[in-house]
PDB file of all heavy atoms in Angstrom:
ATOM      1  N   TYR A 130     -42.360  11.060  15.401  1.00 97.00           N
ATOM      2  CA  TYR A 130     -42.822   9.746  14.784  1.00 97.00           C
ATOM      3  C   TYR A 130     -43.290   8.906  15.925  1.00 97.00           C
ATOM      4  O   TYR A 130     -44.399   8.297  15.849  1.00 97.00           O
ATOM      5  CB  TYR A 130     -41.764   9.097  14.000  1.00 97.00           C
ATOM      6  CG  TYR A 130     -42.175   7.757  13.511  1.00 97.00           C
ATOM      7  CD1 TYR A 130     -43.087   7.656  12.377  1.00 97.00           C
ATOM      8  CD2 TYR A 130     -41.803   6.638  14.086  1.00 97.00           C
ATOM      9  CE1 TYR A 130     -43.501   6.423  11.930  1.00 97.00           C
ATOM     10  CE2 TYR A 130     -42.207   5.363  13.709  1.00 97.00           C
ATOM     11  CZ  TYR A 130     -43.111   5.271  12.600  1.00 97.00           C
ATOM     12  OH  TYR A 130     -43.528   4.066  12.207  1.00 97.00           O
ATOM     13  N   GLU A 131     -42.505   8.763  16.903  1.00 98.00           N
ATOM     14  CA  GLU A 131     -42.868   7.920  18.079  1.00 98.00           C
ATOM     15  C   GLU A 131     -44.045   8.410  18.820  1.00 98.00           C
ATOM     16  O   GLU A 131     -44.939   7.598  19.189  1.00 98.00           O
ATOM     17  CB  GLU A 131     -41.660   7.895  19.072  1.00 98.00           C
ATOM     18  CG  GLU A 131     -40.472   7.116  18.536  1.00 98.00           C
ATOM     19  CD  GLU A 131     -39.415   6.874  19.655  1.00 98.00           C
ATOM     20  OE1 GLU A 131     -38.960   7.861  20.293  1.00 98.00           O
ATOM     21  OE2 GLU A 131     -38.931   5.669  19.797  1.00 98.00           O
ATOM     22  N   ILE A 132     -44.111   9.753  18.991  1.00 98.00           N
ATOM     23  CA  ILE A 132     -45.326  10.265  19.677  1.00 98.00           C
ATOM     24  C   ILE A 132     -46.577   9.934  18.884  1.00 98.00           C
ATOM     25  O   ILE A 132     -47.541   9.571  19.468  1.00 98.00           O
ATOM     26  CB  ILE A 132     -45.154  11.715  20.011  1.00 98.00           C
ATOM     27  CG1 ILE A 132     -44.009  12.029  20.966  1.00 98.00           C
ATOM     28  CG2 ILE A 132     -46.407  12.458  20.342  1.00 98.00           C
ATOM     29  CD1 ILE A 132     -43.528  13.417  21.170  1.00 98.00           C
ATOM     30  N   ALA A 133     -46.517  10.078  17.549  1.00 98.00           N
ATOM     31  CA  ALA A 133     -47.758   9.785  16.812  1.00 98.00           C
ATOM     32  C   ALA A 133     -48.194   8.306  17.006  1.00 98.00           C
ATOM     33  O   ALA A 133     -49.312   7.956  17.108  1.00 98.00           O
ATOM     34  CB  ALA A 133     -47.448  10.016  15.304  1.00 98.00           C
ATOM     35  N   THR A 134     -47.233   7.373  16.982  1.00 98.00           N
ATOM     36  CA  THR A 134     -47.532   6.004  17.085  1.00 98.00           C
ATOM     37  C   THR A 134     -47.984   5.658  18.517  1.00 98.00           C
ATOM     38  O   THR A 134     -49.098   5.053  18.642  1.00 98.00           O
ATOM     39  CB  THR A 134     -46.229   5.114  16.742  1.00 98.00           C
ATOM     40  OG1 THR A 134     -45.725   5.432  15.599  1.00 98.00           O
ATOM     41  CG2 THR A 134     -46.594   3.597  16.893  1.00 98.00           C
ATOM     42  N   TYR A 135     -47.339   6.207  19.568  1.00 98.00           N
ATOM     43  CA  TYR A 135     -47.792   5.887  20.904  1.00 98.00           C
ATOM     44  C   TYR A 135     -49.187   6.527  21.148  1.00 98.00           C
ATOM     45  O   TYR A 135     -49.969   5.894  21.914  1.00 98.00           O
ATOM     46  CB  TYR A 135     -46.713   6.330  21.975  1.00 98.00           C
ATOM     47  CG  TYR A 135     -45.554   5.411  22.030  1.00 98.00           C
ATOM     48  CD1 TYR A 135     -44.342   5.831  21.668  1.00 98.00           C
ATOM     49  CD2 TYR A 135     -45.768   4.046  22.424  1.00 98.00           C
ATOM     50  CE1 TYR A 135     -43.229   4.921  21.697  1.00 98.00           C
ATOM     51  CE2 TYR A 135     -44.693   3.195  22.465  1.00 98.00           C
ATOM     52  CZ  TYR A 135     -43.361   3.582  22.090  1.00 98.00           C
ATOM     53  OH  TYR A 135     -42.372   2.792  22.088  1.00 98.00           O
ATOM     54  N   GLY A 136     -49.462   7.673  20.629  1.00 98.00           N
ATOM     55  CA  GLY A 136     -50.718   8.366  20.862  1.00 98.00           C
ATOM     56  C   GLY A 136     -51.851   7.409  20.331  1.00 98.00           C
ATOM     57  O   GLY A 136     -52.881   7.239  21.058  1.00 98.00           O
ATOM     58  N   THR A 137     -51.620   6.955  19.177  1.00 98.00           N
ATOM     59  CA  THR A 137     -52.576   5.953  18.467  1.00 98.00           C
ATOM     60  C   THR A 137     -52.771   4.746  19.326  1.00 98.00           C
ATOM     61  O   THR A 137     -53.847   4.320  19.697  1.00 98.00           O
ATOM     62  CB  THR A 137     -52.154   5.682  17.073  1.00 98.00           C
ATOM     63  OG1 THR A 137     -52.091   6.854  16.276  1.00 98.00           O
ATOM     64  CG2 THR A 137     -53.127   4.657  16.470  1.00 98.00           C
ATOM     65  N   LEU A 138     -51.563   4.150  19.702  1.00 98.00           N
ATOM     66  CA  LEU A 138     -51.655   2.882  20.397  1.00 98.00           C
ATOM     67  C   LEU A 138     -52.389   3.058  21.852  1.00 98.00           C
ATOM     68  O   LEU A 138     -53.073   2.190  22.274  1.00 98.00           O
ATOM     69  CB  LEU A 138     -50.219   2.309  20.683  1.00 98.00           C
ATOM     70  CG  LEU A 138     -49.580   1.571  19.582  1.00 98.00           C
ATOM     71  CD1 LEU A 138     -48.167   1.367  19.768  1.00 98.00           C
ATOM     72  CD2 LEU A 138     -50.304   0.382  19.124  1.00 98.00           C
ATOM     73  N   CYS A 139     -52.122   4.249  22.513  1.00 98.00           N
ATOM     74  CA  CYS A 139     -52.743   4.522  23.789  1.00 98.00           C
ATOM     75  C   CYS A 139     -54.358   4.538  23.666  1.00 98.00           C
ATOM     76  O   CYS A 139     -55.046   3.978  24.420  1.00 98.00           O
ATOM     77  CB  CYS A 139     -52.285   5.837  24.426  1.00 98.00           C
ATOM     78  SG  CYS A 139     -50.625   5.632  25.001  1.00 98.00           S
ATOM     79  N   THR A 140     -54.679   5.288  22.492  1.00 98.00           N
ATOM     80  CA  THR A 140     -56.161   5.355  22.230  1.00 98.00           C
ATOM     81  C   THR A 140     -56.767   4.018  22.007  1.00 98.00           C
ATOM     82  O   THR A 140     -57.809   3.720  22.470  1.00 98.00           O
ATOM     83  CB  THR A 140     -56.315   6.344  20.992  1.00 98.00           C
ATOM     84  OG1 THR A 140     -55.648   7.462  21.283  1.00 98.00           O
ATOM     85  CG2 THR A 140     -57.841   6.618  20.791  1.00 98.00           C
ATOM     86  N   TRP A 141     -56.066   3.272  21.177  1.00 98.00           N
ATOM     87  CA  TRP A 141     -56.639   1.955  20.783  1.00 98.00           C
ATOM     88  C   TRP A 141     -56.592   0.988  22.053  1.00 98.00           C
ATOM     89  O   TRP A 141     -57.578   0.149  22.250  1.00 98.00           O
ATOM     90  CB  TRP A 141     -55.760   1.231  19.733  1.00 98.00           C
ATOM     91  CG  TRP A 141     -55.937   1.851  18.413  1.00 98.00           C
ATOM     92  CD1 TRP A 141     -56.872   2.784  17.977  1.00 98.00           C
ATOM     93  CD2 TRP A 141     -55.147   1.624  17.154  1.00 98.00           C
ATOM     94  NE1 TRP A 141     -56.665   3.091  16.668  1.00 98.00           N
ATOM     95  CE2 TRP A 141     -55.683   2.354  16.152  1.00 98.00           C
ATOM     96  CE3 TRP A 141     -54.107   0.745  16.901  1.00 98.00           C
ATOM     97  CZ2 TRP A 141     -55.103   2.377  14.852  1.00 98.00           C
ATOM     98  CZ3 TRP A 141     -53.524   0.738  15.665  1.00 98.00           C
ATOM     99  CH2 TRP A 141     -54.044   1.530  14.631  1.00 98.00           C
TER     100      TRP A 141
END
Side-chain angles (χ1 to χ4, degrees):
Y130 174 77
E131 290 189 308
I132 289 166
T134 303
Y135 285 116
T137 298
L138 282 170
C139 288
T140 305
W141 289 351

